[in-house]
Amino acid sequence: MNKCTERLFNGLIKENPTFVLMLGMCPTLAVTTSAINGLGMGLTTTVVLVMSNMLISMLRKIIPDSARVPSFIVIVASFVTMVQFLLEGFIPSLYDSLGLYIPLIVVNCIILGRAESYASKNPVLPSIFDGLGMGLGFTVGLTAIGMVREIIGSGKIFGWKIMPASYEPITIFVLAPGAFFVLACLVAVQNKVKAAKAKGGQQEAASGCDGSCASCGNGSCGKAVFSVEKQEGK
Amino acid sequence: MEELLLIAVGAALVNNVVLSQFLGLCPFLGVSKKVETAAGMGGAVIFVLTISSFITSLIYKFILANDAILNGRLVYLQTIVFILVIAALVQFVEMLLKKMMPPLYNALGVYLPLITTNCAVLGVALKNVQKDYGILASVVNGFATAVGFTIAIVIMAGIREKTEHNDVPESFRGMPIVLVTAGLMAIAFFGFSGLNL
């Protein structure tokens, strides 16, 4: 049980996918026009992440190493399709506002990343909690960004008006450019905190995205699919 | 013809794939340090995206949505089928280029494997289905989207080369200043939404 809480803590704080690893940038910027959208996207991703981590961990001894990544993609894509239909049926308003970004959960680096680095090597229960922790960490990140954008951009939070009537909303923050600015400020704050922590030590600029996604495409997806095809060729 | 032109301008400029829809953000932020590499990435994306929109719309029209096969009830498989087709296609294109066109392979080779994780590719395939585009319109849409991506990433790389040695506040160095630049570019691209399409 101890290990499970450790995984939760790891996903939520130590390796928070949004703020620390900077993974899954596309949905992070695209759907956070309001807090409720961010929350919805985060929870949807969490569900997919938990389910795919569970199944991949169950099948980890069956899936051959060379066909690893294509199998992961099929598993993830199946869960995404299921979740998409569930959302369409039960929460149509959220389905409409997330739109294209629901099927795009398939290419979210976080999910394949967790499958590859954790679920394919560990037993079922810790994998479930790993998915839960990472998913909730992602949800917290998205909701936080969504809240900032909603407060500045429309003076509301979760749809309730909280700013005084004299406040003129800065609409650009709910539009595309605002997403970049808010994320830039959040990363800058994080850099500042890091620099203060490592006083005198060398400060590392947060360049998570190019490292993580590049390695994701390079190392795992590309090679694994390639090796499968090579075998078929033989 | 006019319709195709509207799709092209809309996809390349008005609804720029990176700056207004946030698709393909990882390569946009990751591979935009130099103009040459950015142009290489852009070329690879144009190449793959055009082919992949053609193939995915063919598959959708003639297999998934074909009334003769299970009354077209296979449509729900689109996400799974598309992502697998794209992953395989990228590998195939890479091998083909290596054999048939070594100079082009040398120019684009490194960037090809990265494209599987570029969500713009899957995004465009799904959008073609969503908007009910025909095969020709899908290809035009894919090509124009990729051109939009190339425009954005090359401009970004140009700006980054210039700001490399600027005196940026310490905590804004690295990723934050790139994001701010992207935000300003997004504002600039907003001007295109004034186009009456």
Side-chain angles (χ1 to χ4, degrees):
Chain A
M1 212 56 219
N2 213 356
K3 204 175 173 190
C4 298
T5 46
E6 185 263 321
R7 290 321 301 171
L8 271 179
F9 177 74
N10 181 54
L12 266 171
I13 296 157
K14 222 169 79 196
E15 285 185 14
N16 188 297
T18 310
F19 297 124
V20 183
L21 301 180
M22 293 198 72
L23 287 175
M25 280 294 112
C26 303
T28 307
L29 293 176
V31 300
T32 51
T33 47
S34 67
I36 196 82
N37 279 358
L39 188 67
M41 185 68 192
L43 291 179
T44 312
T45 312
T46 308
V47 171
V48 176
L49 195 52
V50 170
M51 304 292 275
S52 69
N53 258 10
M54 183 179 80
L55 193 66
I56 287 167
S57 169
M58 278 171 175
L59 296 175
R60 69 185 187 280
K61 291 189 181 118
I62 303 171
I63 297 175
D65 209 38
S66 51
R68 198 173 69 240
V69 175
S71 334
F72 294 169
I73 292 179
V74 174
I75 291 172
V76 175
S78 317
F79 281 122
V80 169
T81 310
M82 284 182 224
V83 168
Q84 186 182 356
F85 282 115
L86 286 176
L87 279 184
E88 193 177 3
F90 290 101
I91 325 178
S93 59
L94 188 66
Y95 177 81
D96 288 336
S97 56
L98 296 182
L100 187 65
Y101 296 96
I102 300 173
L104 284 180
I105 295 176
V106 182
V107 277
N108 193 327
C109 305
I110 300 171
I111 297 180
L112 268 188
R114 288 332 283 176
E116 173 81 21
S117 67
Y118 197 87
S120 61
K121 297 187 186 90
N122 288 284
V124 178
L125 203 60
S127 296
I128 293 178
F129 276 88
D130 181 72
L132 197 62
M134 276 286 158
L136 290 180
F138 189 57
T139 312
V140 168
L142 287 195
T143 316
I145 296 178
M147 263 155 62
V148 173
R149 285 180 70 184
E150 203 182 355
I151 292 174
I152 304 179
S154 53
K156 294 175 188 167
I157 191 162
F158 286 106
W160 282 303
K161 203 144 189 74
I162 54 152
M163 296 301 247
S166 59
Y167 176 77
E168 188 77 42
I170 311 169
T171 320
I172 198 120
F173 273 89
V174 284
L175 300 173
F180 288 113
F181 293 140
V182 170
L183 190 68
C185 294
L186 283 173
V187 178
V189 168
Q190 191 195 323
N191 279 353
K192 187 97 189 161
V193 173
K194 254 192 211 158
K197 254 189 197 164
K199 235 183 250 168
Q202 269 198 329
Q203 182 212 3
E204 252 182 85
S207 60
C209 206
D210 64 76
S212 54
C213 273
S215 63
C216 188
N218 234 349
S220 51
C221 313
K223 264 184 207 153
V225 178
F226 184 60
S227 62
V228 173
E229 274 166 13
K230 240 175 30 188
Q231 281 184 341
E232 278 165 5
K234 276 177 203 165
Chain B
M1 195 60 216
E2 201 179 325
E3 193 194 343
L4 291 181
L5 202 66
L6 286 185
I7 291 176
V9 175
L13 298 175
V14 183
N15 292 315
N16 187 284
V17 64
V18 186
L19 296 171
S20 81
Q21 305 188 43
F22 305 107
L23 299 177
L25 214 57
C26 291
F28 178 70
L29 298 175
V31 210
S32 60
K33 283 207 179 83
K34 275 196 188 133
V35 173
E36 284 152 44
T37 48
M41 186 71 195
V45 169
I46 292 181
F47 197 75
V48 171
L49 207 51
T50 313
I51 300 177
S52 77
S53 359
F54 178 62
I55 306 245
T56 48
S57 68
L58 267 188
I59 290 179
Y60 186 80
K61 268 255 143 59
F62 291 111
I63 299 177
L64 297 183
N66 190 341
D67 284 341
I69 303 171
L70 289 174
N71 291 327
R73 269 179 300 170
L74 288 173
V75 174
Y76 72 94
L77 284 174
Q78 51 171 312
T79 314
I80 306 175
V81 171
F82 285 176
I83 185 74
L84 283 179
V85 166
I86 289 166
L89 182 79
V90 172
Q91 293 304 320
F92 184 69
V93 166
E94 195 185 350
M95 287 190 288
L96 199 74
L97 278 188
K98 205 172 184 176
K99 272 261 153 60
M100 315 283 277
M101 287 177 266
L104 193 60
Y105 176 78
N106 288 338
L108 305 181
V110 228
Y111 308 106
L112 283 172
L114 293 178
I115 293 179
T116 319
T117 47
N118 187 337
C119 41
V121 184
L122 183 62
V124 168
L126 291 168
K127 190 160 272 181
N128 286 338
V129 168
Q130 217 174 47
K131 293 205 171 163
D132 220 8
Y133 284 157
I135 290 170
L136 186 60
S138 301
V139 175
V140 171
N141 186 31
F143 178 75
T145 306
V147 169
F149 176 82
T150 311
I151 294 174
I153 196 173
V154 170
I155 296 178
M156 178 54 134
I159 299 175
R160 272 180 88 167
E161 276 186 358
K162 291 261 191 268
T163 54
E164 184 100 329
H165 305 292
N166 284 11
D167 189 20
V168 178
E170 198 170 329
S171 35
F172 269 89
R173 268 176 218 165
M175 204 37 81
I177 193 67
V178 176
L179 289 167
V180 171
T181 315
L184 292 174
M185 281 172 65
I187 294 183
F189 268 72
F190 245 42
F192 288 116
S193 60
L195 285 178
N196 248 338
L197 291 183

